Amino acid sequence: EFFGDEVDSIRTFDVETQLSIDSIKRMEIVPNVENKKVMESRESFLSYIPEKTSIWVKDVQTASQILDKLYEKAEEIFATLSTDIKHYKPYELFLRGEDFKRELEKYAVIEFGSKTFPVAERVNFQAQPQPSFNKNFDLLKDTLNANTSKGFTNYILCGSQQQIERFHSIFEDLGADVKFEPILGALHEGWEDPERKFAFYTDHQIFERYQRFRLKNGFEKKQSITLKELNSLQYGDYVTHIDHGIGKFGGLQKIEVNGKSQEAIKLIYRDNDVLYISIHSLHKISKYNSKDGTAPSIHKLGSPAWNNLKNKTKKKVKEIAYDLIQLYAKRREAKGFAFSPDSYLQHELEASFLYEDTPDQYKATQDVKADMEKTIPMDRLVCGDVGFGKTEVAIRAAFKAVADGKQVAVLVPTTILAFQHHKTFSERLKDFPVRVDYLNRFKSTAKTKATLKDLEEGKVDIIIGTHRLVGKDVKFKDLGLLIIDEEQKFGVSVKDKLKTLRVNVDTLTLTATPIPRTLQFSLMAARDLSVINTPPPNRQPIETEIIGFNEETIRDAIMYEVSRGGQVFFIHNRIQNIREVAGTLQRLCPDVRFGIGHGQMDGKKLEDLMLRFMEGEFDVLVSTTIIESGLDVPNANTIVINHAQNFGLSDLHQMRGRVGRSNKKAFCKLIAPPLGSLPDESRKRLRAIEQFSDLGSGFKIALRDLEIRGAGDMLGAEQSGFITDMGIDAYQKILAEAVEELKETEFKDLYQQELEEGKYVKECQLDTDLELLIPDYYVNNIEERLRLYQELDSLESEEQLEDYRQALVDRFGELPQEVDDLVTSMHLRWMGQQLGFEKIVLKMGKFIGYFLSKPESGYFESETFHAMLSFTATQHKRAQMKQKNERLSLVINQVNTINEAMELLQPLVPKREVTTEAE
């Protein structure tokens, strides 16, 4: 109470002693003679603080006033007390404001609030603000050189390491020999100080881009479960084991193996048969996901039914995968155009991006540019949630193509998106010698003909359009890159026409919620895949809520957004009565400006309407779903969707993505009848879109959509029902197996290099009687132990394993021996994989490594296998090769621990040649 409300803003500092005011909080006044003497001596009230201490106070006057108020309160309370307990008067216990100020005079006091002080001494600074360079690097180069000649030290502050690299690249491309010190850090503005001969320049001012600022993340309302939780296993859940079929999850179970305790997963099959799965084989089981509400049939252990289903599925998958990989093979054999490495103009374009690249966005850009520089025609899919920066990746790829004299075609599904992309591309490339044009129904016939003529003559560098771009009259002089936005929105006929364009042309496909077929092509190596999972800095989740048609709620939502200077989308997907709906809204909000848009409007009027809305001429746009794809209005942060039950999950997610594209909190209101009156699928869709409202939930929504609709046919009508029979995850594993088998047989020549790199074994199992487990006393929560086992089993690199180990130590303390051995066993599995073992058995002091079960594999002709033979020859007393039932194995005696096994195998692991990034 001594410092009142300001106590947290006061800290005391001393060279020898650091005293926190927290100690004052803990002081207790005990009524005794010694304390009474202290209280009577008002001058020594702060005597416990050393004299050389600096005291920091937010505002001395405010603190003084608070002390006076508290003193008055103490006097009021004192007056109400009985005389029996009036041992001390208020002035003996509490400090008045004036006394406090008087005692502070003995110390150096620093006030850090917003108060202004009378001028006691004037200090003159010679510093000047950073000059405006207008992205002119010749001017920047001349300024830096002029500074150096005057004896200045130049500093350039960059928000990221990529920016530092870009500056070096730009100056190198310009042939400029400039001296500057890069600093990884950010300031609001740069300055020059001629007195101290310093010049500090900021990257965001040089490139005229936004400075990144950080939002304080307070308590975040968790509206959605994570993907990890989505796939977490609960007792009684249906699970699929890739070797044994569908059973029920029976939890974690302690079992004895040769007298030693181990932990295993219990699976229950038909007739209550029980199967225990080692924690080293968790990758073989997955949660059963299929059509919601459909219970699968549980398999019988030992029955051939599961293997028959697997073989039947694999046969069908191989037929389709064969055609896909053949297409991929043709593409790899085709000769495309190898684009030049990045020029300084490319670096300048990327550095001038108004926002900071996210790590995923940066990697996707690098992947795309690396593909373009190869002679093999690019075919890459970039997957990223709405508003995560896919368009910027496309702009950079387009500019790279144009810089080498090639033309770029950008194919989009809607006329509105064509208009939006034209605006975005033109704005980003306005400072560069690039001509951007577009084709859609908004354009008059005369203008369209002129554009087509210029396109054929090579005067148009980037053309953006709808399916009009695949028309017979559209001819390119030299097409180098095709960008397809939201491929799933196009019909089969358009895709067939695209094939004729794509033979030797680099292709980049962008999508937010991939349909399974599109995504599957990438997973099957028929095209390359980049995923942008990281949201842009300062982006906030969109708060999604299901409401009925309540006029007050709708009015409040619109008025709140307009009152904070924002704009609103109101989606009503029936043209017949859209004007009546707009009239109702106008009645509810008479002071709000409305606009109406739909697909049957005259092209010019619709274009004009969209432009006016983007420029903020009216507050609410009442429209059909024409705004679904790509419309980018950062100032629009509330969307109301009428009759939301009639839309698909992907459509709802795309429309919701039209808001929340800035750092403002965004809202999505879904108008629907009471959920109880809706069909099951509609109700589940609405609950899913409400549940998955966090950033980057596009993939979760795609998965949920599969569950709701039933996965049905992922790659062709012939496969209908397979996914329902075995679950999505198991289907994916079988699909991956089928592709791998095709790579090793029919397409061995195509993937020769990949096979030669030692990727003969995809996984190595470990079976042991050693105690490799997480004990109850270390982690006592069963669900958490299971999650830790799953996480360990999914690790893929030494760095991830070390991070995992460190995370365990941070959370639970030093590792017990069993846990340390468990973590180290991952190293042994990875070694076994590199050495060609499909399974390692470490029991009763003996090591058995089972080699590949395919005698025709190229592994048996590799250097690695020859090294194993040499090892057996030199260690013949302890190690020997054995063959049983056409299965070859290596047996080594006297191996009692994981570390002993690793020491034996380490010299045999093939050495990887380290290549530099430049190479």
Side-chain angles (χ1 to χ4, degrees):
E1 288 179 41
F2 175 67
F3 284 99
D5 294 340
E6 299 299 326
V7 74
D8 286 329
S9 63
I10 303 174
R11 292 289 181 268
T12 59
F13 300 88
D14 183 64
V15 177
E16 298 174 358
T17 312
Q18 287 199 11
L19 246 163
S20 170
I21 209 70
D22 292 338
S23 60
I24 300 173
K25 288 180 178 178
R26 292 193 294 271
M27 286 179 66
E28 293 181 6
I29 303 296
V30 182
N32 57 31
V33 177
E34 188 179 339
N35 271 342
K36 190 170 182 180
K37 287 178 183 175
V38 172
M39 292 173 218
E40 287 171 352
S41 174
R42 292 290 80 189
E43 290 76 23
S44 60
F45 201 94
L46 297 181
S47 61
Y48 67 91
I49 301 176
E51 287 183 11
K52 292 182 180 179
T53 303
S54 296
I55 298 182
W56 292 59
V57 188
K58 191 171 184 181
D59 189 326
V60 173
Q61 187 61 36
T62 304
S64 173
Q65 289 170 356
I66 291 169
L67 287 171
D68 282 337
K69 285 180 184 175
L70 290 170
Y71 189 82
E72 289 171 13
K73 189 176 179 182
E75 285 188 320
E76 289 173 11
I77 295 172
F78 182 80
T80 63
L81 298 175
S82 67
T83 53
D84 297 337
I85 56 173
K86 286 185 178 180
H87 301 297
Y88 297 103
K89 294 181 173 58
Y91 72 85
E92 294 175 302
L93 293 171
F94 299 101
L95 190 67
R96 291 186 179 92
E98 287 304 314
D99 297 333
F100 171 63
K101 286 199 283 187
R102 189 179 68 252
E103 293 198 21
L104 284 181
E105 289 173 2
K106 294 184 292 185
Y107 303 95
V109 178
I110 299 167
E111 292 187 67
F112 55 90
S114 56
K115 180 180 172 183
T116 56
F117 302 91
V119 177
E121 188 176 343
R122 191 177 296 277
V123 180
N124 290 317
F125 292 97
Q126 302 298 324
Q128 300 292 326
Q130 174 176 330
S132 177
F133 294 108
N134 296 315
K135 296 187 277 189
N136 186 332
F137 282 91
D138 289 323
L139 178 59
L140 176 62
K141 175 188 69 173
D142 294 342
T143 304
L144 294 177
N145 286 334
N147 287 346
T148 305
S149 65
K150 294 175 190 172
F152 278 56
T153 305
N154 295 311
Y155 296 96
I156 298 182
L157 293 113
C158 300
S160 65
Q161 189 62 42
Q162 291 100 319
Q163 285 291 77
I164 293 176
E165 292 167 9
R166 281 171 186 153
F167 273 110
H168 285 301
S169 300
I170 288 168
F171 288 130
E172 188 179 324
D173 288 340
L174 285 173
D177 183 19
V178 293
K179 292 182 180 177
F180 72 96
E181 296 289 331
I183 297 176
L184 187 59
L187 282 178
H188 181 56
E189 289 181 5
W191 79 96
E192 296 172 344
D193 190 338
E195 188 178 348
R196 292 169 181 78
K197 296 193 180 298
F198 287 139
F200 287 89
Y201 301 137
T202 65
D203 63 330
H204 62 89
Q205 282 178 286
I206 292 171
F207 290 115
E208 295 182 353
R209 55 190 290 223
Y210 292 124
Q211 181 199 3
R212 177 182 179 180
F213 63 93
R214 298 183 184 278
L215 288 176
K216 288 184 180 178
N217 291 323
F219 175 76
E220 291 183 3
K221 182 182 173 188
K222 267 288 183 187
Q223 289 188 331
S224 64
I225 57 175
T226 63
L227 199 56
K228 193 182 291 178
E229 290 168 326
L230 192 72
N231 290 316
S232 63
L233 293 171
Q234 300 294 326
Y235 192 90
D237 283 347
Y238 291 107
V239 294
T240 308
H241 190 292
I242 197 68
D243 296 331
H244 301 285
I246 298 171
K248 280 190 175 181
F249 178 65
L252 276 174
Q253 194 97 5
K254 289 279 195 311
I255 57 173
E256 294 285 325
V257 180
N258 293 335
K260 293 179 182 176
S261 178
Q262 287 195 0
E263 205 155 21
I265 307 290
K266 181 181 179 182
L267 299 184
I268 303 164
Y269 283 85
R270 194 189 297 173
D271 301 334
N272 285 326
D273 289 347
V274 174
L275 177 69
Y276 290 106
I277 305 296
S278 164
I279 52 175
H280 306 292
S281 299
L282 283 175
H283 54 279
K284 286 184 170 283
I285 66 171
S286 55
K287 189 173 180 179
Y288 174 87
N289 286 315
S290 189
K291 189 168 174 62
D292 215 19
T294 306
S297 56
I298 296 178
H299 289 89
K300 170 80 175 164
L301 277 180
S303 162
W306 173 251
N307 277 333
N308 291 341
L309 177 63
K310 267 175 60 177
N311 293 334
K312 185 180 175 186
T313 305
K314 192 179 284 187
K315 183 183 175 185
K316 288 289 184 186
V317 167
K318 272 188 176 181
E319 290 173 9
I320 293 157
Y322 185 91
D323 295 335
L324 282 176
I325 296 177
Q326 203 164 42
L327 280 174
Y328 178 62
K330 285 179 182 174
R331 183 164 68 81
R332 285 184 57 161
E333 288 169 5
K335 289 294 176 188
F337 181 80
F339 289 92
S340 309
D342 290 355
S343 64
Y344 82 94
L345 283 173
Q346 184 80 28
H347 291 301
E348 192 177 323
L349 171 76
E350 292 176 14
S352 65
F353 183 42
L354 290 175
Y355 308 95
E356 184 177 335
D357 286 8
T358 63
D360 290 346
Q361 198 178 13
Y362 176 73
K363 186 178 184 306
T365 303
Q366 298 306 106
D367 290 344
V368 168
K369 292 193 295 187
D371 284 356
M372 291 176 71
E373 289 170 18
K374 294 175 185 172
T375 53
I376 301 167
M378 173 176 73
D379 190 5
R380 182 169 287 275
L381 172 69
V382 175
C383 258
D385 218 336
V386 284
F388 274 35
K390 301 185 297 296
T391 306
E392 176 64 20
V393 175
I395 288 170
R396 294 176 186 183
F399 185 75
K400 187 177 181 69
V402 172
D404 264 2
K406 293 284 186 178
Q407 290 175 299
V408 180
V410 183
L411 186 66
V412 295
T414 65
T415 51
I416 293 297
L417 187 51
F419 173 63
Q420 173 74 50
H421 272 350
H422 176 254
K423 188 171 180 288
T424 306
F425 274 69
S426 301
E427 185 64 31
R428 282 289 283 122
L429 300 171
K430 67 181 179 185
D431 296 327
F432 301 92
V434 179
R435 182 180 166 190
V436 183
D437 209 334
Y438 69 99
L439 281 177
N440 63 15
R441 64 184 181 82
F442 291 168
K443 270 199 166 183
S444 65
T445 307
K447 286 185 178 178
T448 299
K449 282 184 179 177
T451 299
L452 290 174
K453 184 172 180 291
D454 289 347
L455 185 65
E456 190 173 356
E457 292 173 1
K459 293 177 183 176
V460 174
D461 299 305
I462 300 174
I463 186 75
I464 300 165
T466 56
H467 59 275
R468 177 78 178 78
L469 273 184
V470 295
K472 292 179 182 177
D473 57 342
V474 179
K475 295 182 176 64
F476 296 89
K477 184 181 180 184
D478 190 4
L479 182 64
L481 175 66
L482 173 64
I483 299 171
I484 307 169
D485 200 358
E486 301 296 346
E487 185 183 37
Q488 70 273 18
K489 301 276 183 189
F490 294 103
V492 177
S493 60
V494 175
K495 290 180 181 176
D496 287 340
K497 289 175 184 175
L498 282 177
K499 288 177 185 175
T500 60
L501 276 178
R502 293 163 71 164
V503 181
N504 292 317
V505 173
D506 284 16
T507 306
L508 176 63
T509 307
L510 313 173
T511 182
T513 47
I515 55 171
R517 189 180 176 87
T518 302
L519 189 57
Q520 207 61 54
F521 281 16
S522 300
L523 298 177
M524 291 176 64
R527 54 156 53 133
D528 302 305
L529 176 67
S530 290
V531 179
I532 303 178
N533 270 331
T534 321
N538 312 320
R539 186 66 59 85
Q540 299 185 50
I542 301 163
E543 192 167 300
T544 307
E545 182 187 6
I546 301 170
I547 60 173
F549 195 92
N550 182 296
E551 291 191 350
E552 287 185 10
T553 308
I554 295 167
R555 182 197 64 207
D556 291 347
I558 293 173
M559 293 308 297
Y560 172 74
E561 185 60 50
V562 173
S563 69
R564 62 174 183 164
Q567 293 169 279
V568 180
F569 289 111
F570 190 97
I571 307 302
H572 179 77
N573 207 30
R574 292 189 66 192
I575 297 174
Q576 295 90 328
N577 64 342
I578 195 168
R579 292 194 175 277
E580 286 84 342
V581 171
T584 302
L585 296 174
Q586 184 75 73
R587 174 175 56 79
L588 295 174
C589 311
D591 299 328
V592 174
R593 298 165 299 171
F594 285 83
I596 302 172
H598 55 80
Q600 292 181 11
M601 287 176 66
D602 175 68
K604 199 65 186 169
K605 285 183 180 177
L606 185 56
E607 183 177 346
D608 180 59
L609 178 84
M610 292 299 173
L611 198 58
R612 284 168 50 218
F613 185 60
M614 288 176 198
E615 291 172 355
E617 287 188 23
F618 54 93
D619 308 305
V620 181
L621 175 62
V622 183
S623 78
T624 56
T625 54
I626 54 169
I627 60 105
E628 179 186 340
S629 292
L631 193 64
D632 189 4
V633 185
N635 195 42
N637 284 298
T638 294
I639 185 167
V640 183
I641 303 174
N642 197 16
H643 298 304
Q645 76 278 6
N646 296 334
F647 296 100
L649 252 183
S650 174
D651 295 328
L652 289 171
H653 183 59
Q654 283 279 8
M655 285 189 286
R656 182 173 64 184
R658 298 310 103 212
V659 298
R661 302 173 80 89
S662 65
N663 51 29
K664 279 187 178 179
K665 182 72 181 170
F667 302 91
C668 174
K669 308 288 184 184
L670 305 171
I671 301 175
L675 293 182
S677 65
L678 293 174
D680 279 354
E681 291 195 1
S682 299
R683 186 169 64 251
K684 286 168 188 169
R685 277 200 303 271
L686 290 175
R687 281 185 174 157
I689 197 73
E690 184 180 38
Q691 186 181 47
F692 297 122
S693 62
D694 60 335
L695 297 169
S697 53
F699 289 108
K700 287 182 258 186
I701 283 173
L703 175 63
R704 185 71 177 135
D705 205 11
L706 277 175
E707 291 182 23
I708 292 169
R709 289 187 292 129
D713 165 23
M714 195 174 271
L715 290 173
E718 317 89 72
Q719 297 176 75
S720 184
F722 284 152
I723 296 174
T724 305
D725 290 341
M726 60 178 56
I728 294 167
D729 293 325
Y731 178 87
Q732 294 277 21
K733 287 177 182 174
I734 289 170
L735 189 147
E737 281 180 19
V739 172
E740 287 304 318
E741 288 176 16
L742 284 172
K743 284 182 180 180
E744 291 175 9
T745 52
E746 280 89 340
F747 297 99
K748 188 176 179 180
D749 295 339
L750 182 63
Y751 294 96
Q752 189 64 40
Q753 184 181 352
E754 186 178 312
L755 296 171
E756 285 173 0
E757 288 174 358
K759 297 178 182 176
Y760 297 103
V761 177
K762 296 303 171 189
E763 61 183 14
C764 176
Q765 296 178 51
L766 177 63
D767 187 7
T768 177
D769 59 5
L770 299 174
E771 285 195 12
L772 307 181
L773 77 161
I774 301 174
D776 296 354
Y777 67 82
Y778 189 62
V779 181
N780 60 7
N781 184 283
I782 293 176
E783 285 79 10
E784 185 61 20
R785 285 209 307 279
L786 177 59
R787 193 193 67 75
L788 289 170
Y789 286 135
Q790 287 174 320
E791 187 179 342
L792 177 65
D793 197 54
S794 66
L795 300 179
E796 295 179 346
S797 68
E798 302 281 348
E799 292 80 8
Q800 290 179 355
L801 191 63
E802 191 51 44
D803 290 344
Y804 177 85
R805 185 191 294 271
Q806 193 56 52
L808 286 180
V809 173
D810 290 345
R811 289 182 63 193
F812 306 108
E814 286 301 316
L815 303 185
Q817 189 60 48
E818 308 99 297
V819 182
D820 191 61
D821 287 343
L822 173 66
V823 176
T824 307
S825 70
M826 283 300 295
H827 282 286
L828 182 62
R829 286 172 59 186
W830 291 337
M831 274 188 183
Q833 185 179 338
Q834 288 179 282
L835 292 170
F837 294 128
E838 287 185 334
K839 184 177 182 181
I840 289 175
V841 176
L842 194 56
K843 290 183 177 178
M844 302 177 72
K846 187 178 287 187
F847 173 97
I848 306 173
Y850 290 94
F851 292 102
L852 271 82
S853 53
K854 301 172 186 171
E856 71 279 3
S857 171
Y859 164 76
F860 295 104
E861 298 172 10
S862 68
E863 292 181 13
T864 304
F865 183 66
H866 287 140
M868 304 291 278
L869 293 174
S870 301
F871 169 78
T872 311
T874 55
Q875 300 278 339
H876 61 276
K877 290 184 179 179
R878 189 179 175 190
Q880 52 188 233
M881 292 273 189
K882 290 188 176 180
Q883 186 157 356
K884 185 178 180 182
N885 298 331
E886 298 186 0
R887 186 77 183 270
L888 191 66
S889 62
L890 171 67
V891 181
I892 309 175
N893 296 312
Q894 300 167 18
V895 183
N896 297 301
T897 66
I898 294 288
N899 286 324
E900 284 180 17
M902 288 180 61
E903 285 173 18
L904 269 172
L905 298 179
Q906 186 63 60
L908 301 173
V909 176
K911 299 289 186 292
R912 294 273 180 241
E913 287 185 20
V914 179
T915 56
T916 64
E917 196 173 320
E919 289 173 335

